Amino acid sequence: MDCLGLQPGREVNSMWRQFYRSVSNPESFLGDVSIRRLMGLAAPGETGAEGLSGVRVQIELWRDEQARVYRELASQAAELGNQREFAEALLVHSAPLASVLGCWLQGMSAPGVFEDSAQLRLMELLAHDVGVGRPLASRADHFKSLLVQAGLTAYAVSPFELSTLPDLPDELFELPALLQAVSRRSDAFGDTLCGIDYAWRALGLSPWWAVLDAQQLDVRRLDLNQLNESAGDSSALEISQWVCEQVANQGNIRRLQLEAGAQWLFAALKTFNERLLVHCRAAVSPERLMGKMIQRMARAGAVYHQDYKMEGRSLAQWLREAQVNPVPLLEMLSRSRLIVPGNAEKSLLVNTLVAPNGRMFRIFSEADLSVIRKWIDGLSGPIQRAETAQVPAPSPCNTVVPQALGEGIQEQGQWPKSLREAYFVLQGRALAPRTQAFAQAYVTRWLEQSRRSLQNSERTLPESWNVGVLREWLLDKHDRHGQEFEESDPAAMPSREEIVDSTLQLAPLTLIDGAWLQGFTDLTLASSHVGYALFQTYWDELGNGSYALNHPKIYRDGLRQMGLELAPTGAREFAEDERLREASFRLPVYWLCLGKLPVTFMPEILGMNLAMELSGVGGSYRSARRFLRHYGFSTAFVDLHNTIDNVTTGHSAWAVDAIDAYMRQVAATKPAELAEHWQRVRVGYESLAPQPDRLTSWLQRLGIGSAGAVLPRSKTQGEDQALFHHEPIVPAAPVGVTA
Ligand SMILES: [Fe+2]
Ligand SMILES: [Fe+2]
């Protein structure tokens, strides 16, 4: 069984679709050598010297030329009365590509580059692609709604289901699978991905979809250069170009990588287009439609026609051969007595034989009969050999795919040897197998402790979940926070030194604000009912594309005001800064691990997210404001969080909505597991500050994090040692995002 529960090798013609399924998993990892080979990616500098603007001109010319090709095909279809067949073939065969629109940016954002303005602009593009703020509002979801409008409901399904539909040719999954695959390795292909993005934005609306507006289908959302009104004056292409300029300024090699990415996508789009055109032409041509239908039915038909002779051979024999090439059978039929060329009404094949008392009653569907009738009506006599064209066989599967599916991963990654090392290694996105195993183990241990802690905790979520319970619980909690603040002694004040030290020790945590939600930038998760609010929260943490609103940046400003200058979070120097205590990396490493495993630990992340978003609202953020003002420090960070995390329309309310959406799905699909999943959410909630972490300190009241992040925990230090010495140390995998 493959990792998604299907039997490998038993699916017919399925290499690309298997690969597509595999890389649709946000936790998947592929070796960069395999990806490069699968893509056939040219080395930087091998692709010519046109520069990005040259590629853009070529793409625009090609797009306009192909738009004319599709328009001509559409008018041919109209002349033959095949408009519906044409639109259907186009929609169905482009569905796999539409299912990944925007995916190439899904793996770019990472804690180590949270404060990078180029990354913030890329996130802005991704936010539009996923349709931030609403579930099922991505470009891919819009395409599904077009399928529904066109009556193609059988194809308006999840990517996984799409890849299991047998009538979609395997080769059409190649480009979507490669885009997904390369998106999972932004550490190795960051610049290439920027170039790919540039090429997509330059393409704007693909020529194959542009022609659909004649079918009253609204295709504007499929235009990758189009942003919604909130985006201001910039087009997506302008944003993408600005990002590419920032990358190109870093040196010649990086500029060449951008160009290689853009060139690769252009070439891949041309190949995709040729394949799509074959299917669209087949839908327009009565001969090709007929040929396709015969091919589809030939095998079953061959069982029944052993004794029926045509031109000296059994029809069964003709049908067996037609499975590979239907042309000779079509030619023979056009000469036979079953057909009157140019006159379907008088042709036995579609009158007497298929009548209720005919020998072939109900063999053909109405749609099949319509195909046959149009074919016969279009014939001027028996077919000459040149008139028919065979539907081409799919291209052979690439032998590199099985390797990329897991056999050939050379990079095993490293098992970090300390908390500081782990903090550094986890700043990126992709995790090679050994590092991923470390992340799993770290989270598992943390959750074991949280589970024990939950038994004695006073601040738990309700014991059972039910509709509406959580929102009520949230308001109660908020009331209590407010009450505690009112009852607190305004004179009780930590010292200036304590404030400065705590702000410093919280830096490894707060400078990666939102890191636990990193995995929810995955296209499918970010546009799902459960994940859309989490993506929106993450998007807010990073400042919605605006550096001034970036939470880590605001925190860093506060540190600076205290005279504390720290290295960039993604630099090794940050993790090794001696002013930061080892224990200050404990909770941040937990967050970093969670962010890499959004599927494995989804309920726990949902619970942890609520605990974090709620932690200071109404109470401790207000106390912190009092302390900070007292010493003349900026209150911007706590003020911002007391509003943006609010319990009615803010992050803590969204955190509850995400949990409710998740639990509703469990209730609907796996009711027997409801209690188990709820318990996992509760453990996740507890995991922000499991005992014995929760020490009474002013920091807890401050609520910018948990005391556990700051104070050493002698009781479990032995466990840490065991964890960090579990595996031998191997050379590091590449870390960090490159743009
Ligand atoms: Fe925040
Ligand atoms: Fe927040």
Side-chain angles (χ1 to χ4, degrees), residues 25-27 431 436-448 451 516-517 520 525 530 534 590-609 662 677 680-681 683-685 687:
N25 177 359
E27 296 174 9
L431 293 191
Q436 188 169 77
F438 165 82
Q440 290 252 10
Y442 193 93
V443 173
T444 303
R445 279 173 187 238
W446 192 284
L447 292 173
E448 276 164 15
R451 214 167 290 121
W516 66 94
L517 296 178
F520 285 86
L525 292 179
V530 175
L534 303 183
Y590 174 57
W591 280 10
L592 289 167
C593 293
L594 283 181
K596 308 293 188 285
L597 300 163
V599 179
T600 307
F601 295 112
M602 190 178 290
E604 288 84 0
I605 293 173
L606 289 166
M608 212 296 294
N609 179 54
Y662 180 81
H677 284 263
R680 289 182 62 185
V681 175
V683 170
Y685 183 85
S687 75

Side-chain angles (χ1 to χ4, degrees), residues 196-253:
I196 287 174
D197 185 67
Y198 178 85
W200 270 116
R201 309 295 168 183
L203 180 73
L205 182 58
S206 302
W208 44 88
W209 290 324
V211 75
L212 287 169
D213 57 4
Q215 309 288 321
Q216 273 78 54
L217 295 175
D218 184 354
V219 292
R220 285 171 298 176
R221 184 88 177 98
L222 306 178
D223 181 347
L224 286 150
N225 192 24
Q226 185 131 42
L227 303 177
N228 64 25
E229 309 75 49
S230 66
D233 294 335
S234 300
S235 70
L237 180 60
E238 282 162 351
I239 294 174
S240 187
Q241 183 169 340
W242 181 83
V243 171
C244 289
E245 283 163 9
Q246 310 313 302
V247 175
N249 288 341
Q250 305 297 311
N252 202 36
I253 279 283

Side-chain angles (χ1 to χ4, degrees), residues 111 114 423 427 446 502-516 541 551-552 555 559 566 569 574 580-581 583-592 608 612 615 621 637 641 687-688 699 703-710:
F114 270 1
Y423 188 81
Q427 287 293 313
W446 192 284
S502 298
T503 306
L504 176 64
Q505 298 311 322
L506 277 168
L509 187 81
T510 316
L511 289 175
I512 56 163
D513 195 9
W516 66 94
E541 304 295 351
H551 295 191
Y555 196 78
L559 285 164
L566 296 177
T569 325
F574 182 94
L580 300 169
R581 290 192 284 276
S584 303
F585 291 94
R586 289 181 53 86
L587 185 60
V589 167
Y590 174 57
W591 280 10
L592 289 167
M608 212 296 294
M612 188 55 217
S615 64
Y621 285 141
F637 191 81
H641 281 85
S687 75
L688 178 67
L699 261 171
I704 322 175
S706 85
V710 182

Side-chain angles (χ1 to χ4, degrees), residues 537 541 551 613 641 644-645 651:
T537 303
E541 304 295 351
H551 295 191
E613 297 297 353
H641 281 85
I644 204 166
D645 291 345
H651 294 178

